[in-house]
């Protein structure tokens, strides 16, 4: 199997190649949470860059629960025409919308009243996160409906499908994780119970969405045995694509760092290699491995040995979206690695590591959305502060306008 080979999915869609442009939160919505012309510019560049599939940054299913300021929100107050323009701009290759609820992993400045599977503890990062309240069963059922309704809306708007975000410490990931899910009801305890929320969403989406819509799920590489057990359940529920990545804000493995902020080192470029391999042997549905891929040798080995069926790439494509097609066509053998490193003592790196890892690249996305080229000399610390403190300020300023829209109707 090679990177340039098309990938057929169970729903009938065929991805033109096996390079997936991974989800990256762009936070460039207007102050009401609607997609803007900047999304159109960013995703036109992402799709025309030539990957086989584009996954958007996380789109929220509840305007009271954002992951960060200026996330797109889809609910009854959303401007569908803006969604249609966004879908149209990204139509050079199949583009799917990542749907998410942040759960407990949203700072107190974005949301002073976060929710999660269980009450407390807060995300342990310098007091920036509030203690979550455990969701009631009625609230879980309501959120399940919201995920499904939003999926219908974005597919109606012209997107090729959706990805349900169940990774990186957000709500559905925290239900799956026994470290954050301490419930004693039907949604806690055994893996089947912890997966009930996600399985409910996926089953209902498959029933509701057109049969040709792509239904994907992103999962954490937290526990290989659980991943191998969960995969076949999701496959039976009608999923087309399973993506494996990992890490969260407390343990930022998704940006190549351990909990102390030091670089992760391993046998392979991707820290999640073994987890994808454990999942791939259990399912027929295609598996995407995302995180760390930069060289053709590693990508080829992963595809040829059946560790995965496609590879996801995030950060290099935030800087230069056109690298996707050039890598697939064999014109280049490595993906640029321009990310800056954050120095300083371990506690500072632990606190700001994820913010720098993602913040520097988010600014590159913002630049593309404005029609500008990358800023390769952007200092790491400035990007980290923009991603954290800058976001808190934007959240505090903009929250009233976003919520006012909901109250006006
Ligand atoms: C700026 C930025 C934003 C991200 N936002 C999301 C997101 O919205 N949803 C998601 O599932 N992952 C998100 N990620 C994680 C990426 O999808 C990917 O898993 C991670 O960057 C590892 O892949 P890479 O080494 O190729 O960058 C984000 C990463 C970055 C750098």
């Amino acid at each position: 199997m090679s990177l340039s080979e098309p990938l057929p999915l169970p729903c009938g869609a065929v991805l033109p190649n096996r390079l997936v442009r991974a989800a990256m939160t762009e936070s460039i919505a207007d102050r009401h949470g609607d997609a803007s012309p900047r999304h159109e510019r960013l995703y036109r560049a992402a799709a025309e860059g030539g990957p086989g599939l584009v996954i958007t940054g996380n789109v929220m299913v509840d305007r009271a629960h954002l992951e960060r300021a200026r996330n797109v929100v889809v609910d009854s107050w959303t401007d569908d025409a803006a969604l249609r323009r966004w879908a149209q701009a990204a139509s050079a290759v199949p583009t799917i919308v990542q749907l998410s609820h942040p759960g407990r992993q949203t700072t107190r400045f974005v949301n002073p009243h976060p929710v999660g599977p269980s009450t407390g503890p807060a995300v342990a990062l310098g007091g920036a996160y509030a203690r979550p309240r455990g969701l009631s069963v009625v609230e879980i059922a309501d959120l399940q409906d919201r995920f499904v309704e939003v999926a219908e809306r974005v597919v109606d708007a012209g997107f090729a499908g959706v990805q349900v975000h169940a990774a990186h410490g957000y709500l559905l990931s925290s239900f799956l994780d026994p470290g954050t899910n301490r419930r004693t009801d039907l949604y806690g305890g055994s893996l089947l119970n912890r997966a009930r929320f996600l399985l409910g969403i996926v089953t209902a989406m498959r029933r509701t969405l057109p049969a040709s819509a792509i239904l994907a799920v992103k999962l954490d590489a937290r526990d290989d045995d659980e991943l191998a057990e969960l995969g076949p359940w999701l496959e039976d529920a009608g999923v087309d694509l399973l993506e494996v990545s990992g890490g969260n804000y407390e343990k930022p493995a998704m940006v190549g760092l351990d909990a102390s902020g030091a670089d992760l080192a391993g046998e392979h470029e991707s820290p999640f290699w073994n987890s994808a391999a454990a999942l791939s042997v259990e399912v027929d549905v295609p598996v995407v491995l995302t995180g760390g891929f930069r060289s053709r040798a590693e990508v080829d080995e992963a595809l040829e040995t059946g560790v995965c069926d496609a590879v996801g790439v995030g950060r290099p494509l935030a800087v230069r979206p056109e690298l996707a097609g050039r890598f697939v066509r064999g014109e280049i053998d490595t993906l640029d690695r321009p990310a800056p490193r954050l120095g300083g003592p371990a506690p500072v790196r632990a606190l700001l590591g994820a913010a720098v890892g993602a913040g520097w690249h988010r600014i590159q996305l913002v630049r593309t959305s404005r029609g500008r080229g990358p800023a390769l000399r952007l200092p790491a610390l400035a990007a980290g502060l923009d991603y954290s403190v800058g976001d808190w300020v934007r959240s505090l300023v903009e929250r009233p306008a976003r919520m006012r829209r909901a109250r006006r109707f």
Side-chain angles (χ1 to χ4, degrees), residues 37-369:
R38 290 167 58 186
H39 287 89
E40 295 164 39
R41 214 174 282 123
L42 175 61
Y43 284 91
R44 183 175 291 112
E48 291 179 355
L53 178 73
V54 171
I55 307 176
T56 69
N58 52 187
V59 164
M60 301 296 117
V61 301
D62 185 341
R63 74 177 52 235
H65 292 271
L66 298 195
E67 169 254 337
R68 61 184 42 252
R70 300 186 198 170
N71 286 143
V72 173
V73 183
V74 178
D75 61 11
S76 6
W77 301 286
T78 293
D79 178 2
D80 283 297
L83 277 181
R84 278 196 294 275
R85 286 192 297 271
W86 180 14
Q88 177 60 35
S91 60
V93 297
T95 296
I96 62 177
V97 177
Q98 187 184 64
L99 304 183
S100 188
H101 184 300
R104 67 194 276 275
Q105 202 173 248
T106 180
T107 64
R108 60 172 74 244
F109 310 102
V110 180
N111 183 356
H113 306 294
V115 294
S118 312
T119 298
V123 171
L125 276 179
Y129 292 79
R131 200 174 149 77
R133 171 182 67 75
L135 286 168
S136 71
V137 171
V138 174
E139 288 174 309
I140 293 173
D142 173 60
L143 278 173
Q144 180 176 311
D145 291 347
R146 280 179 189 246
F147 269 95
V148 179
E149 281 161 26
V150 174
E152 283 184 272
R153 290 274 292 285
V154 298
V155 169
D156 269 359
F159 285 99
V162 294
Q163 181 182 63
V164 179
H165 193 357
H168 300 326
Y170 297 108
L171 184 65
L172 295 171
S173 155
S174 67
F175 265 80
L176 290 169
D177 184 346
T180 40
N181 182 345
R182 293 168 191 173
R183 298 177 75 100
T184 50
D185 63 2
L186 273 178
Y187 292 93
S190 67
L191 177 62
L192 184 58
N193 280 359
R194 283 180 275 128
R196 192 175 301 282
F197 192 5
L198 172 62
L199 288 168
I201 290 171
V202 167
T203 306
M205 277 185 184
R206 188 74 286 171
R207 240 193 345 253
T208 318
L209 291 177
S212 58
I214 300 172
L215 176 49
V217 175
K218 187 170 190 178
L219 295 169
D220 282 314
R222 181 182 44 76
D223 178 318
D224 293 356
D225 292 337
E226 292 204 344
L227 195 58
E229 211 176 333
L230 178 59
W233 298 342
L234 288 165
E235 182 167 28
D236 289 347
V239 163
D240 293 294
L241 200 62
L242 289 170
E243 182 182 8
V244 178
S245 188
N248 52 48
Y249 275 29
E250 289 162 295
K251 294 181 191 151
M254 67 286 197
V255 287
L257 303 173
D258 67 15
S260 73
D263 283 335
L264 283 176
E267 194 190 333
H268 290 286
E269 284 179 343
S270 178
F272 316 120
W273 184 279
N274 293 340
S275 310
L279 175 63
S280 283
V281 293
E282 298 299 333
V283 294
D284 290 327
V285 66
V287 170
V288 184
L289 169 55
T290 299
F293 279 113
R294 301 294 179 263
S295 74
R296 177 165 306 280
E298 285 276 309
V299 166
D300 286 350
E301 185 181 339
L303 294 174
E304 279 160 17
T305 58
V307 162
C308 57
D309 303 278
V311 296
V313 174
R315 287 165 291 169
L317 302 184
V319 186
R320 300 187 204 279
E322 74 282 3
L323 291 186
R326 297 188 58 205
F327 193 67
V328 170
R329 290 190 297 273
E331 293 166 18
I332 50 172
D333 281 333
T334 49
L335 294 161
D336 276 2
R337 189 192 305 242
R341 294 263 171 274
L342 180 68
V348 173
R349 290 201 316 267
L351 200 62
L352 278 179
V356 170
W360 193 87
H361 290 89
R362 191 196 78 87
I363 289 181
Q364 312 301 338
L365 296 171
V366 170
R367 290 181 66 86
T368 307
S369 79

